[in-house]
Amino acid sequence: MTPSSSKSSSSTPAKAPAVGDRAGNLVSLTEGLERAPHRSLLRALGLSDSEMKGPFIGVVSSWSELVPGHLHLRTLTEAVKAGIRSAGGVPFEFPAIGVCDGLAMNHPGMKYSLASRELIADSVEAMVVGHALQAVVLVPNCDKIVPAMLMAAARLNVPAIVLSGGPMLAGHYGGKAVDLSTVFEAVGAVQAGRMAESELPGLEAAACPGCGSCSGMFTANSMNCLTEAIGMALPGNGTIPAVSAARVRLAKETGAAVVALWKRGLRPRDIINETSVRNALAVDMALGCSTNTVLHLLAITSEAGVPMDLSWVEAVGRRTPQLCLLRPAGQVHIEDLDQAGGVHEVLARLHKAGLVDGSAVTVTGKTLAENLEARGRLGQADSGFAAGGSAPGFNGAGVEVVRPLDRPYSVTGGLAILRGNLAPGGGVVKAGAVRPEMLRHKGPARVFETEEQSMQAIMAGQVQPGDVVVIRYEGPKGGPGMREMLSPTAALAGMGLDDRVALLTDGRFSGATRGAAIGHIVPEAAVGGPIGLIEDGDMIAIDIPAGRLDLEVDQAELAKRRQAWKPRPPATNSPSLRRYARLVGPASSGATLEVGESS
């Protein structure tokens, strides 16, 4: 069965048609004489005659017993399926893999994290097209899984909604709110003698109190918030806690909503377009999200045929103030943002200031402006909806979480793009989590070829105040896999050096990182980028307000070093990672796989 009408794709031309049926039509698995064998197999699943009429809707879950952010997803998928059935649809659940970045951190397992993003997108494509599903609800929660499923949605272009698992609550230890980042930083604090090792067991037990994506504005929650902002999830998706009954209700509403999307023929490429992406970037800047959002938005827009590049990030960042200071930059968590009105409150304030476009269509079937009006926030700066009965912008304890536009934390956004002779293709820094004294810094390079080497030196006290730590050959090709490096940044913060030491890498930093940590440097060392030419003691100049990152070595010397430079093979024996290294593109284009043009 197909919907009565089908809208065309977004007005922005896509690079390629949606996969599956090349005409962009939904395929019926049950209609016609030639589908008798298909109907026979479906009856083996127990489908009734009424269920044969569809629509057949996939429910993709990344549930596993390995990932705290995914442990509860079975509860949510059951609620999604109930919502689908209530609206007349027929749900079919199937799984997706998911690597926990926290568990993969600081060992070779992290090489698989970013690479898994492409595997997830491919597997969702295979299941949806292989079984001619007519719509899909995507239920992820953690760092690479959320963008992977958005990539699949844009690629497939069948009606789709994302439902995240929701954030973990913060833990409490010693009278303070704590999280996973606190534990990572405690490692450095113990090593530096700033914390007793006997305190670690209590902190470990308290920091992650239950299921959900880690509780700060780290990568997972950043992407969950941006999924709501871009219009691919229902309001509340970004911030309702994982353990809340409201999350289950949202799951049921999502199931019903996807059937409505199917009936309207509203598809991801009608929603993900230049307008909605710029809206998401504005929310990104206002929230102070993870640097990884840049990487993932570039990949998602590539699938949707939207011509985003780093200049979009620069332009939106210049005009959008940072209104929130969540962990790791501040001391409040996602549950506090939820109490303060969530992504909805941030969107309302940006909309009133003309910093987001209310005409963007969302999965509610309404525009962003209509969604805001329905929640009582259109054109209102200081009153309206807030979760838990709190005043808009404040959490339940009366702490201000979302500032007004006339009193932001910064007049520019939480992320910045840096360029210069050290990063001709750009680098990314979470400017909102950098201490003021480190916004401009010049110091001697301490060069390491791997994350492990840098961590050994940091823990041995070999990195000194003023140094610029350079970790290279950790890019998409060189790693391979562009590892996140929370351990070295957290160790420095725990040692009290995040206000005196900068870090540069062609790899990535976790969303839980704070300090002058500049990642995604392009070109990477593995392809002969300038970062591969740095030597110990070279002076490196960082000017975040000016967007500059420069190596102060004369051109003649650099030319000499370049002539002596030799490529090195990927540091892995894994066939899958070697294949990934051959195909992956630069971070400045989202580290997507370069598959070439079809004839």
Side-chain angles (χ1 to χ4, degrees):
M1 181 177 179
T2 56
S4 56
S5 64
S6 177
K7 296 180 67 173
S8 63
S9 296
S10 167
S11 58
T12 302
K15 293 180 180 177
V19 299
D21 182 85
R22 300 298 284 184
N25 299 315
L26 299 179
V27 176
S28 171
L29 204 60
T30 60
E31 294 179 353
L33 176 64
E34 70 278 12
R35 297 294 193 233
H38 304 70
R39 292 192 293 269
S40 182
L41 287 169
L42 291 168
R43 291 183 191 282
L45 295 174
L47 262 66
S48 66
D49 287 343
S50 62
E51 287 176 316
M52 286 287 189
K53 298 176 182 178
F56 289 174
I57 297 175
V59 179
V60 190
S61 168
S62 53
W63 174 86
S64 79
E65 293 180 332
L66 267 172
V67 185
H70 298 173
L71 187 63
H72 62 305
L73 294 188
R74 277 182 167 173
T75 299
L76 295 183
T77 55
E78 287 302 316
V80 168
K81 289 187 286 186
I84 291 170
R85 292 188 186 103
S86 73
V90 183
F92 295 88
E93 184 177 350
F94 60 89
I97 65 168
V99 174
C100 176
D101 281 15
L103 293 174
M105 200 74 68
N106 195 29
H107 64 82
M110 180 53 78
K111 293 176 182 288
Y112 291 85
S113 177
L114 185 59
S116 74
R117 187 187 69 181
E118 321 308 308
L119 292 175
I120 295 164
D122 289 350
S123 65
V124 173
E125 173 193 335
M127 289 295 288
V128 171
V129 178
H131 301 96
L133 298 175
Q134 296 190 306
V136 64
V137 177
L138 304 150
V139 190
N141 207 29
C142 291
D143 295 17
K144 307 308 157 302
I145 302 90
V146 179
M149 291 196 180
L150 282 167
M151 290 166 66
R155 183 188 301 177
L156 291 162
N157 205 33
V158 300
I161 304 183
V162 176
L163 171 77
S164 80
M168 183 185 292
L169 296 176
H172 292 275
Y173 181 75
K176 296 181 179 179
V178 294
D179 52 48
L180 182 64
S181 179
T182 314
V183 185
F184 271 95
E185 292 182 9
V187 173
V190 169
Q191 185 69 16
R194 303 174 77 220
M195 177 180 176
E197 190 170 356
S198 60
E199 295 183 62
L200 268 179
L203 177 59
E204 289 174 25
C208 299
C211 63
S213 48
C214 295
S215 55
M217 190 54 76
F218 312 146
T219 301
N221 289 323
S222 294
M223 287 307 305
N224 287 334
C225 288
L226 296 193
T227 301
E228 181 179 338
I230 209 170
M232 283 296 295
L234 295 182
N237 178 76
T239 60
I240 295 174
V243 295
S244 171
R247 178 63 60 175
V248 179
R249 294 194 295 271
L250 184 69
K252 292 178 180 177
E253 293 166 3
T254 298
V258 79
V259 178
L261 277 188
W262 172 80
K263 289 177 179 177
R264 293 188 186 99
L266 188 64
R267 307 189 188 200
R269 294 188 192 182
D270 300 316
I271 295 168
I272 303 173
N273 52 40
E274 182 167 342
T275 298
S276 66
V277 172
R278 291 186 187 276
N279 284 350
L281 282 170
V283 171
D284 194 335
M285 296 298 172
L287 288 174
C289 289
S290 165
T291 52
N292 287 312
T293 58
V294 176
L295 193 75
H296 298 320
L297 283 173
L298 286 164
I300 293 161
T301 53
S302 176
E303 295 284 1
V306 179
M308 177 185 167
D309 59 32
L310 291 180
S311 68
W312 290 30
V313 183
E314 293 170 296
V316 175
R318 283 193 295 268
R319 67 172 182 259
T320 309
Q322 184 172 352
L323 305 182
C324 302
L325 201 66
L326 291 100
R327 284 282 293 161
Q331 296 305 314
V332 293
H333 291 82
I334 303 299
E335 65 196 81
D336 300 292
L337 177 60
D338 187 62
Q339 294 167 17
V343 174
H344 186 84
E345 181 65 25
V346 175
L347 279 167
R349 297 185 184 210
L350 295 176
H351 183 271
K352 186 183 180 188
L355 294 171
V356 296
D357 188 335
S359 69
V361 177
T362 73
V363 290
T364 65
K366 300 176 181 178
T367 65
L368 171 61
E370 289 170 333
N371 288 343
L372 294 174
E373 187 172 19
R375 300 289 284 272
R377 291 298 290 125
L378 184 60
Q380 301 176 33
D382 300 304
S383 64
F385 171 80
S390 306
F394 290 81
N395 69 5
V399 175
E400 188 175 42
V401 179
V402 185
R403 284 190 173 183
L405 274 87
D406 61 1
R407 191 169 44 82
Y409 286 100
S410 170
V411 296
T412 54
L415 297 179
I417 304 298
L418 306 186
R419 301 179 190 271
N421 70 352
L422 185 45
V428 186
V429 63
K430 191 171 186 174
V434 178
R435 293 195 182 190
E437 56 268 38
M438 288 298 291
L439 291 172
R440 293 181 176 87
H441 179 77
K442 183 185 292 187
R446 291 295 315 280
V447 182
F448 303 97
E449 308 300 311
T450 65
E451 176 190 4
E452 287 83 359
Q453 289 179 7
S454 73
M455 192 64 182
Q456 289 170 7
I458 291 167
M459 296 299 283
Q462 296 171 3
V463 173
Q464 301 300 313
D467 285 349
V468 178
V469 174
V470 178
I471 308 173
R472 63 191 182 191
Y473 291 98
E474 290 285 8
K477 288 183 178 294
M482 204 180 180
R483 287 195 287 181
E484 282 188 351
M485 287 173 273
L486 178 57
S487 291
T489 59
L492 287 170
M495 291 175 169
L497 291 173
D498 59 310
D499 61 345
R500 288 172 288 174
V501 172
L503 293 95
L504 314 179
T505 185
D506 50 9
R508 300 180 296 129
F509 292 115
S510 164
T513 291
R514 59 188 172 98
I518 302 164
H520 308 196
I521 290 175
V522 176
E524 62 174 292
V527 299
I531 190 172
L533 307 180
I534 303 172
E535 295 182 357
D536 278 337
D538 288 349
M539 294 302 293
I540 295 174
I542 301 166
D543 190 337
I544 294 174
R548 296 293 306 179
L549 179 61
D550 291 292
L551 175 63
E552 296 189 343
V553 175
D554 66 64
Q555 291 300 312
E557 174 62 21
L558 285 179
K560 179 181 176 182
R561 295 180 189 178
R562 188 170 287 109
Q563 189 173 18
W565 178 85
K566 294 181 180 179
R568 60 178 68 183
T572 180
N573 291 322
S574 162
S576 66
L577 289 179
R578 284 183 172 274
R579 181 172 62 248
Y580 179 83
R582 286 198 304 271
L583 296 175
V584 71
S588 55
S589 60
T592 54
L593 299 187
E594 299 176 337
V595 296
E597 296 296 328
S598 60
S599 57

